Amino acid sequence: MQLRSAEEGILSLQRKPGERPLLFIVDILLEGAKTGWDFLAELYRHPVYAQTPVIVSTALEAPHDYHEKEVEKYLKKPFTMERLVDVAKHLLESRSHHAYIFPAQDKEFLSSALERSGIQISDMKENLDMIEVEIKRSHDTQDTDAEAEAE
């Protein structure tokens, strides 16, 4: 689906979750009063779409305070279709792995703080200067719940 304004994009986020896109490609300069940044802010606040991969596609330089996220990559125009496909493929493949890195600290404290925030952990690996936390994805939790009900 191609939308021409951030306003249209924000409205499209209200669609049924079953129609969820696998990837968003967002231009920063759009028709309408809002920009692609406005759309992205709304996207990341949305409980269904917050972890959907995004490619920011624009002729503009990245803002000085911009930082790519695990699910968001910045492509400055012009770029080749091969580059776009490579970035999309990387984003879609990395979706299956939800791990976050934290500075070394008390592992039990970190675990309980994340769980109090509603984040379920599937694995924690401690290294000398960091802790890698793998997060359970929502369908992992649903699978576990379904298995428990079956017993």
Side-chain angles (χ1 to χ4, degrees):
M1 170 187 315
Q2 182 177 358
L3 304 171
R4 303 190 62 75
S5 72
E7 291 85 355
E8 285 178 302
I10 292 168
L11 287 174
S12 76
L13 296 177
Q14 306 311 315
R15 296 184 321 191
K16 297 177 200 168
E19 300 173 13
R20 182 176 160 179
L22 295 175
L23 173 79
F24 289 97
I25 301 174
V26 180
D27 199 316
I28 296 305
L29 299 176
L30 298 168
E31 294 177 7
K34 296 187 178 202
T35 68
W37 297 122
D38 296 318
F39 171 76
L40 289 172
E42 190 67 30
L43 176 77
Y44 292 132
R45 282 192 291 270
H46 197 283
V48 173
Y49 301 110
Q51 290 298 312
T52 303
V54 173
I55 297 174
V56 176
S57 164
T58 183
L60 303 173
E61 292 292 332
H64 72 283
D65 60 346
Y66 176 79
H67 301 286
E68 285 187 339
K69 300 173 178 66
E70 181 181 351
V71 295
E72 178 183 298
K73 299 299 174 198
Y74 194 94
L75 280 181
K76 186 171 184 291
K77 294 177 185 176
F79 51 82
T80 64
M81 185 55 72
E82 289 81 15
R83 176 74 177 130
L84 178 64
V85 170
D86 285 346
V87 171
K89 183 178 175 186
H90 173 75
L91 282 169
L92 292 170
E93 288 173 352
S94 67
R95 277 185 77 183
S96 62
H97 182 69
H98 290 287
Y100 299 88
I101 305 296
F102 294 89
Q105 57 189 288
D106 183 307
K107 191 174 169 181
E108 295 304 315
F109 176 78
L110 176 60
S111 176
S112 64
L114 291 170
E115 288 176 4
R116 277 193 311 273
S117 298
I119 299 170
Q120 295 183 328
I121 300 167
S122 64
D123 190 27
M124 289 182 90
K125 296 176 188 163
E126 195 168 9
N127 295 319
L128 293 174
D129 60 347
M130 66 180 177
I131 298 175
E132 181 178 345
V133 178
E134 191 161 329
I135 305 299
K136 285 185 184 177
R137 298 184 328 208
S138 61
H139 76 273
D140 293 341
T141 304
Q142 291 170 354
D143 292 345
T144 304
D145 292 345
E147 289 170 9
E149 287 177 16
E151 295 175 0

